[in-house]
Amino acid sequence: MRITALRPARPRTRLSRWGTAWRLGLVVVGLVALVHGTLRDSDDFFPFGSMAQYASAHDLNGTTRSTYILADTESGEEDVRVPLNATGTGIGRAEVEGQLGDFLDDPSLMQVIADAYRDIHPERDQYTHLYLMRDVYQLEDGYVVGEPETTLLAEWEVVR
């Protein structure tokens, strides 16, 4: 075992006014973004978004929802799961869930998902029809029990 001598501690230096101002400025920007996200219930400046998701405990005997998109394809396949992620469509499931009201009001917005998939995967079988779906799972002591209740929320015939 080799023992090395400890180096003497460096003398402490005070932070310059510029260093202090710069650090305080960052704190203020962070707090403003946090307050903005919380008041607007927005995650535009993630991770400085709404803290509402952490505000209360979930009911372990309640329900949980999962939103997703299914598609029919040019080759005739039906109910193909649309990959809502960076490599599948470039659009995340959370983005779809966050704008769910817009999709329900105007299902034509789903065209963006089909177009994004076509742009990323031009060589693959393309979508002809999209279905916005929701599964509702019943929880018991925090665990899923039974089969989900599946609901069609909206659908869109893809325009080529």
Side-chain angles (χ1 to χ4, degrees), residues 78-129:
E78 295 181 349
D79 298 334
V80 175
R81 190 83 175 232
V82 174
L84 296 175
N85 56 47
T87 58
T89 57
I91 299 167
R93 189 174 87 167
E95 293 176 75
V96 172
E97 289 177 342
Q99 298 178 41
L100 188 58
D102 295 335
F103 283 106
L104 297 176
D105 292 341
D106 185 6
S108 71
L109 294 174
M110 286 193 281
Q111 180 70 39
V112 171
I113 294 168
D115 293 343
Y117 183 80
R118 182 181 300 118
D119 290 345
I120 294 172
H121 306 287
E123 74 289 349
R124 292 193 185 161
D125 198 14
Q126 297 301 310
Y127 301 139
T128 58
H129 204 100

